Amino acid sequence: MKITAVKTFILHVPVTRNGVSDSTHSLTHWGAPGVIIETDAGITGYGYSGTHAHLPSDRLITQCIETCFADLVIGRNPLEVTALWREMERFPPVQWVGRGGITHLALGAIDVALWDIKSKTSNMPLWQEMGGKARRIRAYNTDGGWLNWPMETLVDDCRRLVQEDGYTGVKIKVGSPNLSTDIKRLEAVRKAIGPDVTLAVDANGLMDLPTAMRFGKYLADTDVMWFEEPLWYDDVISHKRLAESITTPIALGEQLYLPHNFASFIEAGALHYAQPDVARLGGVTPWIQVADMALNYGLPVVSHVGDMMQTHIHTAIGHPSNTMLEYIPWLRECFTDPATVEDGYFLVPQQPGAGTTLRDDALDRFGVA
């Protein structure tokens, strides 16, 4: 089998209530710059990345795919996924300007598409191609906890997700201008959902170390499962100091581009829940490296979704380090086999591939030039 064509696309899909915010970001659409890889066997692979739907930077990702990586894979055997990934990741001209950022987002989309082809060739879903066994993965919902929701909406959404939709876990965003606001919102949500529901918080890298340390007391009082991205993403030392000063576990990883970055946090004792993202890391291939690393240290993996859950539900089932996964619904209408939750658990995907095959109308509805 050989790769015959590499084509790119960009999707911009509206988010919940046409606008969400955390402590650092505000967006009206979620972006999915991606790639369609065709083969001479008639098997097509789909891969995509996750962005804030900023068209100029989305175009940089697709241009990187078209102009930097496409020539490396056209004419090659798509089943040689690991070898192709390493060749692209170590391609000297791109490595010189990359090793993260746009180049890894482009590489991740290609790698996902290659795994999609590999799984379809085996006539298996990706989780089975990875050697996994069908099992239920518990879902926690982030889409009711945005920082721009007023208190009443926040509490009502979280209560609905638990009492009506059956979720046993929710996550809310923190990082308000006043810490007291975050504390009030946290306490109100805990009261609304009850003591038995998993509750996590996410600061999206905003806080400084003293603020995060002060907030830690209230996290313990409300039985928060983890404190996600409390500090600047790459600051290993401050995360280590925070981990030593509070009892709430720390989760991070969505902004880390290399397995070596995870190793630094793990060795420092600054990470308790690993959150690798196939988009940021550069695909399923390095995601497996991080998941193996976490497993060896006895740390659970709860992938950052950023609406990459189409692929992450497969990696969650396919790797023993995973028991839970974030749910964000924005891109569900783009795919033929959308990730679905029932009674608080993800349904096990049954279709061959990585779950990334686009619906026939996806590009017409959400595609941008």
Side-chain angles (χ1 to χ4, degrees), residues 80-139:
E80 298 171 351
V81 178
T82 303
L84 288 173
W85 180 86
R86 185 169 179 83
E87 186 173 330
M88 288 184 285
E89 202 261 348
R90 298 294 176 94
F91 183 49
V94 175
Q95 182 190 103
W96 186 258
V97 299
R99 295 196 306 119
I102 289 165
T103 61
H104 258 218
L105 294 170
L107 176 58
I110 295 172
D111 187 75
V112 168
L114 293 176
W115 277 98
D116 189 40
I117 293 171
K118 186 176 179 68
S119 303
K120 288 174 177 174
T121 302
S122 302
N123 198 34
M124 294 190 295
L126 173 59
W127 60 263
Q128 193 172 21
E129 177 71 32
M130 291 174 61
K133 179 181 179 180
R135 61 193 178 97
R136 299 204 307 170
I137 300 294
R138 186 161 72 98

Side-chain angles (χ1 to χ4, degrees), residues 14-331:
V15 301
T16 304
R17 298 185 181 125
N18 297 311
V20 300
S21 297
D22 57 35
S23 69
T24 312
H25 315 100
S26 295
L27 56 148
T28 61
H29 291 72
W30 190 251
V35 63
I36 301 171
I37 297 181
E38 298 175 352
T39 69
D40 60 3
I43 297 175
T44 301
Y46 298 80
Y48 70 102
S49 187
T51 71
H52 289 182
H54 177 247
L55 187 55
S57 53
D58 284 351
R59 285 174 173 158
L60 292 177
I61 295 169
T62 55
Q63 288 169 6
C64 184
I65 293 171
E66 294 165 356
T67 62
C68 296
F69 290 135
D71 286 346
L72 296 179
V73 299
I74 290 176
R76 305 289 295 277
N77 184 350
L79 303 184
E80 298 171 351
V81 178
T82 303
L84 288 173
W85 180 86
R86 185 169 179 83
E87 186 173 330
M88 288 184 285
E89 202 261 348
R90 298 294 176 94
F91 183 49
V94 175
Q95 182 190 103
W96 186 258
V97 299
R99 295 196 306 119
I102 289 165
T103 61
H104 258 218
L105 294 170
L107 176 58
I110 295 172
D111 187 75
V112 168
L114 293 176
W115 277 98
D116 189 40
I117 293 171
K118 186 176 179 68
S119 303
K120 288 174 177 174
T121 302
S122 302
N123 198 34
M124 294 190 295
L126 173 59
W127 60 263
Q128 193 172 21
E129 177 71 32
M130 291 174 61
K133 179 181 179 180
R135 61 193 178 97
R136 299 204 307 170
I137 300 294
R138 186 161 72 98
Y140 76 90
N141 196 306
T142 295
D143 204 37
W146 299 106
L147 200 58
N148 59 314
W149 288 178
M151 175 77 85
E152 181 179 358
T153 303
L154 172 74
V155 171
D156 287 347
D157 273 5
C158 290
R159 182 187 291 114
R160 170 183 53 79
L161 290 172
V162 171
Q163 295 180 0
E164 299 179 20
D165 296 347
Y167 288 91
T168 59
V170 296
K171 185 173 76 180
I172 68 171
K173 300 291 186 174
V174 297
S176 303
N178 297 311
L179 187 60
S180 60
T181 301
D182 285 329
I183 294 168
K184 291 175 183 177
R185 288 164 67 90
L186 174 62
E187 292 175 342
V189 168
R190 172 52 82 192
K191 182 178 179 180
I193 65 177
D196 299 327
V197 175
T198 297
L199 175 59
V201 301
D202 185 356
N204 289 99
L206 178 75
M207 293 183 179
D208 57 29
L209 181 57
T211 302
M213 292 171 67
R214 288 173 56 210
F215 194 36
K217 174 182 181 300
Y218 299 95
L219 301 181
D221 290 344
T222 48
D223 191 25
V224 167
M225 187 172 186
W226 71 64
F227 192 1
E228 185 171 333
E229 287 197 326
L231 310 166
W232 181 251
Y233 319 116
D234 305 309
D235 188 348
V236 177
I237 298 301
S238 293
H239 279 90
K240 172 180 170 61
R241 291 173 178 166
L242 179 63
E244 293 169 345
S245 68
I246 67 175
T247 59
T248 301
I250 293 173
L252 57 86
E254 69 180 77
Q255 293 279 357
L256 301 184
Y257 286 96
L258 303 172
H260 291 88
N261 300 144
F262 281 88
S264 297
F265 278 91
I266 291 172
E267 288 286 350
L271 178 158
H272 305 105
Y273 287 89
Q275 297 182 309
D277 187 325
V278 295
R280 194 83 58 179
L281 275 172
V284 174
T285 301
W287 184 98
I288 293 172
Q289 297 174 27
V290 172
D292 284 343
M293 184 191 312
L295 186 66
N296 290 337
Y297 280 86
L299 300 176
V301 171
V302 186
S303 292
H304 168 250
V305 161
D307 220 352
M308 298 299 296
M309 69 180 177
Q310 288 298 123
T311 300
H312 280 150
I313 182 53
H314 288 268
T315 59
I317 297 170
H319 198 279
S321 61
N322 292 246
T323 58
M324 186 164 60
L325 182 66
E326 184 176 24
Y327 179 85
I328 297 177
W330 301 330
L331 297 186

